[in-house]
Amino acid sequence: MTHMKLRRELLKSGAACVIAGVPFAAAAQPGQGGAKVSPSAGGAAPGQAAGPTPILVLNSLDADVSVIDPIAHTQRQRVPTGKEPHHLYLTPDEKSVIVANAASDSLTFIDPVTAQVQRTVRQIIDPYHLRFSPDMKWFVTAANRLDHVDIYRWQPQNTESPLALAKRVHAAKTPSHLMIDSQSKVVYVTLQDSDQLVAMDLATQSVRYTVPIGRMPADLYLTADDRTLLIGMTGADVVEAYDVSGAAPKLIKRITTGKGAHAFRARGDRRHVFVSNRVANTISVIDTQTLAVVDQYAAPGGPDCMEFLSDQRTLLVARERTQTAGHSLDEQWAPWWRARVAEGHAFASHTWDHWVLLPQSPAKGPWRFKVTQGPQRGQVVSADAQAYCEQLRKPAQRLLEMTGHRMAAAFRAPAGRTNEGLQEAARACGFEHVGWSPAGFLGDELDSTRFPNEQLLQKALRDIRAGDVLVAHLGIWDRQDPWAPAVLERLVQGLKAKGFCFRTLREHPVHGAAFSRLAPLEASGR
């Protein structure tokens, strides 16, 4: 299996980030962004077990870590973590890989050589991103959902509580990524939804400055001399370079890389750095001396975290998982959608990036959403009516591009989560919400060990009533025992035997009106 094939295997697990074992001598300096690189295959550090150090791949959707053999390019095992792990990090002393479990409020420490769990540290609130200071005196987490940055003192001698909270610093909107300078003095934080950069003094846990920067900032990379800070602008197509050697940062240059500039990985030569462009589906190489793009690679499927191996030739890339290394509205799916149009189906929006409304969102907005697809997957965003309407329009625009067919003026909120204020905002821009009936949730996305097919079938046959709207999916990644066709065909037969007939939503007495109108393609409603 080639390295390119290995990369594709990694993608199938829904990888968010990759770490390839213990770094070799020419790796990036401590604290310099991204994962470290592995020694040559078959090597082992003194005191370690013989054999190759594994590649560790974080599976955010599955809440575990894949352990990949770097020689055979096969998965050895999976190591369970907590819920919603979004980033993993090799400690400066190279003794642990830490997985930040945002929804479990915990950290999982894994031995980077044996892949055994060393410990789980709990009561670390909403750890989305994480960093140690190079001297390992300070540990910092960004709470992406709860809008704060936690600074901890590292006390490894205390096995029960190795992290002591020094201070919780509240942030404006959505702390995203962290970077700490080589002197262990300053932590830099991007605030994704308020488009800001914050610098904090670690010794005093005080804010040095908060400044406005570009759209939707994400990962950061600080050069070895601590002077130049690169920031990926996921909401734009640039990396912004700042001089941070003074009391306040100064913008040096905006480097055009590609849409969705997001994550960095050092080349290992103290000069070049990779940046993933999640929307453009490319990876750019930036010369940190000239602040210019010197190379670019195609990386279809939304590249995210990267790992550069010790052979100085192989770059591993974690991307959004799909069976075809793309997404369901990209060009390779266009023939499939055209075939569905030819069959006479109706189409409605489900938002572009699968924005799931959070329960604590206000009734009238702005609302808070968990993004579960696209460049911001796993993050929480705050959005007004205009932004939500754009999420509804983009699938309609894309369907028209692929098929020449206009979508209906209807939508279903991801996970069915909505409120009256959000529905009013959608109506104002031309979309009507169409949900499912309580008994119409057929359960095909549930865990098949807890909700086996036979149980789902019997429940549906028992509870469905006349007029109910039913919902099912074309396929679900996480369900091991496929729901269709095993249940679908028997359900249709069973409902017919009970005297039911079937109608499409076009014929529904309430929702039919939405399917008689066309979805607007522009903010003007046209």
Side-chain angles (χ1 to χ4, degrees):
M1 182 183 290
T2 67
H3 284 299
M4 181 62 73
K5 289 181 180 177
L6 168 61
R7 180 173 70 176
R8 289 172 181 161
E9 288 298 315
L10 298 182
L11 305 185
K12 291 180 182 178
S13 64
C17 285
V18 173
I19 278 184
V22 180
F24 74 121
Q29 298 75 31
Q32 295 303 305
K36 303 296 190 289
V37 296
S38 70
S40 300
Q48 295 173 350
T53 54
I55 297 169
L56 304 181
V57 182
L58 179 61
N59 306 312
S60 294
L61 298 180
D62 298 332
D64 61 23
V65 169
S66 288
V67 182
I68 307 296
D69 188 306
I71 297 176
H73 297 165
T74 56
Q75 180 175 263
R76 293 179 186 170
Q77 66 184 95
R78 287 205 175 195
V79 180
T81 61
K83 295 180 181 178
E84 293 191 27
H86 292 294
H87 291 93
L88 72 174
Y89 174 71
L90 181 65
T91 58
D93 63 5
E94 302 168 8
K95 294 181 179 180
S96 300
V97 169
I98 308 176
V99 179
N101 309 308
S104 291
D105 295 338
S106 67
L107 304 172
T108 303
F109 285 66
I110 299 174
D111 188 307
V113 177
T114 66
Q116 299 299 307
V117 174
Q118 298 168 321
R119 69 171 84 182
T120 299
V121 178
R122 305 190 187 279
Q123 297 183 340
I124 306 297
I125 306 302
D126 188 26
Y128 173 76
H129 203 250
L130 66 166
R131 277 291 180 270
F132 257 114
S133 60
D135 62 8
M136 290 195 70
K137 292 181 178 179
W138 303 100
F139 181 75
V140 186
T141 61
N144 186 265
R145 177 173 54 90
L146 298 179
D147 296 337
H148 64 250
V149 175
D150 284 349
I151 302 176
Y152 295 87
R153 289 186 176 87
W154 175 241
Q155 43 189 29
Q157 69 282 359
N158 187 336
T159 56
E160 294 296 323
S161 301
L163 292 172
L165 182 63
K167 189 172 183 179
R168 174 163 295 158
V169 182
H170 292 279
K173 289 184 180 179
T174 321
S176 181
H177 287 66
L178 307 166
M179 172 57 63
I180 299 177
D181 71 339
S182 65
Q183 302 303 308
S184 301
K185 293 181 178 180
V186 183
V187 57
Y188 299 95
V189 187
T190 52
L191 304 185
Q192 179 182 294
D193 288 336
S194 56
D195 299 336
Q196 292 174 312
L197 170 69
V198 179
M200 300 180 188
D201 187 279
L202 287 173
T204 64
Q205 300 93 53
S206 60
V207 175
R208 289 191 174 190
Y209 55 74
T210 301
V211 296
I213 54 177
R215 288 186 56 200
M216 205 179 296
D219 201 10
L220 314 95
Y221 177 84
L222 187 61
T223 54
D225 59 6
D226 289 338
R227 295 184 63 90
T228 306
L229 183 68
L230 305 181
I231 307 175
M233 299 299 162
T234 304
D237 60 355
V238 299
V239 167
E240 293 187 351
Y242 289 86
D243 182 345
V244 292
S245 61
K250 296 180 180 179
L251 178 64
I252 305 171
K253 185 178 182 181
R254 290 186 174 91
I255 309 165
T256 301
T257 58
K259 290 183 178 180
H262 188 74
F264 294 101
R265 179 65 181 98
R267 177 70 167 78
D269 58 3
R270 301 177 67 90
R271 178 166 181 171
H272 297 93
V273 63
F274 298 99
V275 58
S276 57
N277 306 307
R278 296 180 68 171
V279 178
N281 295 320
T282 58
I283 293 171
S284 302
V285 182
I286 295 176
D287 186 323
T288 60
Q289 294 182 12
T290 64
L291 297 180
V293 173
V294 295
D295 209 345
Q296 190 151 293
Y297 307 98
D304 193 340
C305 296
M306 298 165 286
E307 176 61 288
F308 194 59
L309 296 188
S310 57
D311 63 8
Q312 293 284 287
R313 296 183 303 167
T314 306
L315 183 70
L316 304 181
V317 184
R319 309 182 292 189
E320 176 65 31
R321 67 175 185 175
T322 68
Q323 292 284 8
T324 55
H327 60 84
S328 60
L329 291 177
D330 63 22
E331 198 57 37
Q332 62 187 324
W333 279 88
W336 189 90
W337 289 109
R338 287 194 287 269
R340 304 291 81 74
V341 169
E343 291 168 351
H345 292 283
F347 302 87
S349 182
H350 195 45
T351 73
W352 183 254
D353 289 320
H354 206 259
W355 282 12
V356 179
L357 183 70
L358 293 179
Q360 64 267 34
S361 288
K364 297 297 182 181
W367 303 275
R368 288 172 66 80
F369 300 91
K370 180 67 174 290
V371 183
T372 59
Q373 297 293 336
Q376 294 176 270
R377 182 173 64 83
Q379 301 181 23
V380 173
V381 299
S382 178
D384 58 13
Q386 181 179 355
Y388 192 71
C389 287
E390 181 62 20
Q391 279 283 313
L392 295 177
R393 283 191 294 265
K394 285 184 71 175
Q397 294 165 345
R398 181 59 185 144
L399 184 72
L400 180 63
E401 292 171 1
M402 289 190 299
T403 68
H405 183 78
R406 290 284 293 272
M407 187 176 282
F411 80 103
R412 179 171 72 79
R417 295 185 187 175
T418 184
N419 60 34
E420 187 54 39
L422 192 62
Q423 292 187 40
E424 288 178 4
R427 289 189 198 103
C429 62
F431 288 88
E432 190 71 32
H433 185 253
V434 178
W436 61 78
S437 305
F441 179 72
L442 299 178
D444 65 319
E445 62 183 28
L446 300 176
D447 180 1
S448 57
T449 58
R450 296 173 54 209
F451 301 93
N453 282 338
E454 188 63 28
Q455 177 182 326
L456 294 178
L457 173 63
Q458 296 306 320
K459 181 179 183 299
L461 290 173
R462 181 189 70 225
D463 296 342
I464 289 174
R465 299 292 182 266
D468 281 353
V469 176
L470 312 185
V471 62
H473 301 77
L474 288 175
I476 295 295
W477 279 96
D478 299 328
R479 188 171 177 84
Q480 299 301 310
D481 187 12
W483 181 87
V487 174
L488 180 60
E489 293 180 0
R490 293 171 63 195
L491 176 62
V492 171
Q493 294 170 359
L495 291 175
K496 284 184 174 180
K498 295 179 68 174
F500 287 104
C501 58
F502 300 89
R503 296 287 183 268
T504 67
L505 285 170
R506 290 191 183 105
E507 304 166 279
H508 195 278
V510 175
H511 302 307
F515 286 86
S516 68
R517 304 193 307 271
L518 297 177
L521 301 176
E522 301 174 6
S524 62
R526 293 184 295 173

